Every structure is written in structure tokens, then in C-alpha cells.
Amino acid sequence: MTTRIERLEVHDVRFPTATAGDGSDSINRADYSACYVELFTDGGPTGTGFTFTGGRGTEICVQAVKAFEHLVVGKTVEEIFANPVEFSRSIIQEPQIRWLGPEKGATHMAVGAIVNAVWDLRAKLEGKPMWRLLAEMDSAELAAQIDYRHIEDELTYDEAVAILEEGRIGYEDRLKVLETDGFPAYTTSVGWLGYSDEKVRALTEQAVAEGWTAAKMKVGSSDVADDVRRAAIIRDVLGPDRLLMMDANQIWSVPEAIKNMQELAAFDPYWIEEPTHPDDILGHAKIAKAVAPIRVATGEVAANRVIFKQLLQAEAIKVCQIDACRVGGIPEVLATLLMAAKHGVDVCPHSGGVGLCEYVQHLGMFEYLRVGKTLEGRMIEYVDHLHEHYTDPVTVVDGRYRLPTQPGYSVTLKPESIAEFSFPNGPAWNA
């Protein structure tokens, strides 16, 4: 029996988060939004995926998805996974659309939404949550999902198989850890840049009371003295034993990053995230050397596996922050996880936004089970926004993600939420 994709629908779904300062950082004052894809089948389940956006611009991703529609509709799930690299390349390397990237920006994000929807469909057909589908998959089949073109100087098919095979050792013990304890998380909800000092203190106190042991704040104010003041508030509440991470969201030049972190080092930051332009590989490497032992973390807007390859080869990062939908879907994430494992770099998925927590919980758990094989240095970001709009929202208890149990990738939006927040005609945008 085969399952054919008969129709693709794509929605521009936007949530008005900017007015409250939620999600605010050194650059962004965005409305958390999603270019949301649904793949309808001939009697089977519906595959869903999205790419996260910041409001205006979502319409560009929507049009990019429509440009690829003819390459997806009519195909069966079985033929896609019989030759997954050929399928991915048919979209990513579509010769005329590719010129708009290549493999970056709105077109590549559209690819990620489509490919993730295909994987969601497969997981639902097999009746497994995504983490389990990946973790139980044969090593050779998993390795065959990856396009090694342009990264084979860093990762080969045989190396991928070897890493994944080694990941079978102790698998059941690691699974029991997740079933019993969950996966470590940290909260970013305490320190958005648009929050008042009073709100930052209150939210940090609330986080400590709820049992959080790690929190992240946004830095990159127009005056570093503002960052210093807010860091002092958060560190005062956290005390010396909880982790404090900092995120500049790309605002600084290389010299600014080094200088500002000299001032912020007094608050014992565990890492500085996105200290400069995301494509500046050598700049990240220079910062990493200058600010050590503070770790440099990045990856949420790293456009593709080739950028990650260079970050790792240049020893520019100590924390690899995979994003579920910035790159071309699960196959490209797999490539990044395996390269990070070769370099012994910790993986802490980027999350927050809308639906990113739902997505990346599966990836972090899979990485622990079959690739990295340790929770040391591992945390998944958590932001307490917009989970109520999903049919299978994340469960976080005592600062730890709990294993998802429903089939799929956990990113299916409720129909009423699509209707309410569709842009520009949804009631939320016409009130």
C-alpha cells in the first residue's frame, strides 16, 4: 500500500507578540509567525511542517513554498524515501529557484517546511513520535538521508554509519533516563530586551521558584551599561550556582563582541550566543579565542550544513545550536549533528518562537540517544509562548522536557488557531 500526496496547502499564520515585548532582542521586535505547510494524502494522515518567521516576510516564504508545490504533489511517501537525497535535491537544486539562494534564505526555509512536513507524514504513518522514528531507524538508512555533497571533506557516509552504529550501544539505558527524568532545558522567558528591569527581576524570581537551573538573557543594548545592569539583576536572583547564558542576536562587530564580553564576564556567562554576523566564520573563531573560557554558541540562522561545517572546522563554536527549520529539514540537521559529534561539540538546539520547542525536542532527544550519547553540556531552549495552539504541545516539568508520545513531529496547529491568526484576514488581525 502506498500513500500519495494529493494536495499542498500553505498558510501565513502570525501571532501578535511584538506589542508586549515578547521575543524582543537587540535586532528583532517581531510578531512570531509561521509559514505553515499541510500535505494532504489519499485517505492517510496529513503531514505538517513550517518555517518560523518574524511577521512581515512570511508571505515571501509562502510564495516560495508554492513555487515548489509541483515537485511534491503527486509523489508517494514510499518513492520519496526510496531515494531521499534525490527528492531533496529536486527541490533544493531546482535550477531557476536555486539562484535565489543557493541553499539559504526564504527559498531554503521553504524547503525545510516542506521536507519536515514529509517527515511528519512518515512518522504519523508509522505511528511513532519523530524522536522514536529517528532513534529506531537503521543506521544505514539514516545515513542515506544525508546529501554529502560539499561536506564530504568533513563527513562521509561510512563515518555517519559508524557514529550511528556506536549510538546503539547503551541505547536502552539512555532511553530509560529520558523516560524517567526527561531532557534538560533552560528558559529564555526571563530576559527579553524589551522587558523592564522590574519585569526581568520578577520573571527570574518566578523561574527560580519553578526550579529552573539555567536561564538566558538578551544582550546587545545600545549601551553595554544597560546589559551590565540587567545581568546584575538576573545573576543576583539566580545566585552563583545556576547557569546564565547571554545572546547578542548578531548585533556586535568582532571588536565590540570581545570588548563587551570583557565587561559582562563578571557575571559568569556560560556562553555568548550569536556574538556577531552569522556568516562570519573567522570572526566567530576570533571571538571564541578572545573570550575563552566563555563558550561561543551559534547556529539558529546558520543557513546550511556547509556553514556548520566551517564553524566546526574553524573551532569557532563550543555549542552547536541546530534549528529545526532554518535549514533544509531533518536530513540537513542530521548532517550537522554528526559533524558536531566528530568535533566533540555540545548540541543545544535553538528554540522559542512559535512551534520551535515542539520541533526541536525531538532532535535533542534523538541526538542524545543515537549520536552524542551524553547529557553533559546538553540543554534545549524553552520559551513559554504559544504552545496552546498545537495539538501536541511540549510538556516541561521541573525544567526538563518530557518525551513526546503522539505520532509525528508535534507541530500540527489547531484548525481554530490557523483560522484566528491567519494573516491578513484572520480575526486576530481585524480586531
Side-chain angles (χ1 to χ4, degrees), residues 366-380:
F366 161 74
E367 194 274 340
Y368 167 56
L369 290 170
R370 284 291 299 276
V371 182
K373 308 184 297 299
T374 180
L375 291 179
E376 185 176 350
R378 265 64 173 174
M379 295 178 283
I380 299 175

Side-chain angles (χ1 to χ4, degrees), residues 164-232:
L164 292 165
E165 276 295 288
E166 188 178 336
R168 292 188 178 280
I169 302 169
Y171 171 86
E172 293 297 333
D173 292 335
R174 292 191 292 278
L175 179 56
K176 288 177 183 177
V177 170
L178 292 184
E179 291 172 338
T180 303
D181 300 330
F183 195 102
Y186 70 90
T187 179
T188 304
S189 296
V190 304
W192 298 113
L193 211 57
Y195 287 174
S196 67
D197 289 358
E198 293 75 20
K199 187 170 184 177
V200 167
R201 180 175 288 278
L203 289 173
T204 309
E205 289 173 346
Q206 179 182 335
V208 169
E210 291 174 353
W212 290 95
T213 59
K216 188 168 76 180
M217 64 174 290
K218 298 294 183 174
V219 295
S221 305
S222 56
D223 186 346
V224 71
D226 292 334
D227 295 332
V228 169
R229 186 188 69 254
R230 294 167 62 255

Side-chain angles (χ1 to χ4, degrees), residues 267-283:
F267 304 100
D268 191 24
Y270 185 66
W271 73 54
I272 176 59
E273 181 174 334
E274 290 199 308
T276 194
H277 192 285
D279 294 345
D280 189 353
I281 308 301
L282 298 181

Side-chain angles (χ1 to χ4, degrees), residues 45-58:
T46 299
T48 60
F50 71 90
T51 192
F52 170 67
T53 65
R56 291 180 57 231
T58 311

Side-chain angles (χ1 to χ4, degrees), residues 118-380:
V118 169
W119 276 85
D120 177 68
L121 182 55
R122 175 173 175 173
K124 288 173 178 174
L125 287 167
E126 296 195 21
K128 297 177 180 180
M130 186 61 69
W131 67 265
R132 186 178 291 278
L133 173 68
L134 294 170
E136 293 181 349
M137 195 176 291
D138 176 77
S139 299
E141 184 182 3
L142 258 181
Q145 306 303 313
I146 297 168
D147 188 347
Y148 296 92
R149 182 188 291 173
H150 303 310
I151 62 167
E152 61 186 353
D153 56 319
E154 181 58 43
L155 180 72
T156 66
Y157 170 82
D158 288 341
E159 288 175 319
V161 171
I163 293 169
L164 292 165
E165 276 295 288
E166 188 178 336
R168 292 188 178 280
I169 302 169
Y171 171 86
E172 293 297 333
D173 292 335
R174 292 191 292 278
L175 179 56
K176 288 177 183 177
V177 170
L178 292 184
E179 291 172 338
T180 303
D181 300 330
F183 195 102
Y186 70 90
T187 179
T188 304
S189 296
V190 304
W192 298 113
L193 211 57
Y195 287 174
S196 67
D197 289 358
E198 293 75 20
K199 187 170 184 177
V200 167
R201 180 175 288 278
L203 289 173
T204 309
E205 289 173 346
Q206 179 182 335
V208 169
E210 291 174 353
W212 290 95
T213 59
K216 188 168 76 180
M217 64 174 290
K218 298 294 183 174
V219 295
S221 305
S222 56
D223 186 346
V224 71
D226 292 334
D227 295 332
V228 169
R229 186 188 69 254
R230 294 167 62 255
I233 293 170
I234 296 173
R235 175 53 78 193
D236 178 60
V237 177
L238 290 179
D241 297 327
R242 296 178 182 87
L243 297 180
L244 172 60
M245 287 79 77
M246 297 178 179
D247 185 357
N249 288 98
Q250 315 155 36
I251 192 69
W252 293 328
S253 68
V254 172
E256 284 176 324
I258 294 169
K259 178 178 180 294
N260 290 343
M261 288 312 297
Q262 288 172 344
E263 296 195 45
L264 291 165
F267 304 100
D268 191 24
Y270 185 66
W271 73 54
I272 176 59
E273 181 174 334
E274 290 199 308
T276 194
H277 192 285
D279 294 345
D280 189 353
I281 308 301
L282 298 181
H284 276 85
K286 187 173 182 178
I287 294 167
K289 185 176 181 179
V291 305
I294 300 170
R295 298 159 179 81
V296 168
T298 200
E300 70 182 76
V301 297
N304 51 57
R305 67 202 186 285
V306 179
I307 294 291
F308 278 109
K309 178 187 77 168
Q310 294 175 80
L311 287 166
L312 292 163
Q313 288 179 336
E315 299 183 355
I317 56 173
K318 290 295 185 183
V319 180
C320 177
Q321 293 180 303
I322 55 167
D323 184 274
C325 56
R326 169 67 59 168
V327 298
I330 281 179
E332 198 158 26
V333 171
L334 287 174
T336 302
L337 294 178
L338 290 162
M339 289 189 291
K342 277 191 63 178
H343 284 267
V345 169
D346 296 341
V347 174
C348 295
H350 163 250
S351 190
V354 51
L356 294 180
C357 295
E358 279 70 21
Y359 256 149
V360 300
Q361 60 180 335
H362 294 274
L363 302 175
M365 292 167 181
F366 161 74
E367 194 274 340
Y368 167 56
L369 290 170
R370 284 291 299 276
V371 182
K373 308 184 297 299
T374 180
L375 291 179
E376 185 176 350
R378 265 64 173 174
M379 295 178 283
I380 299 175

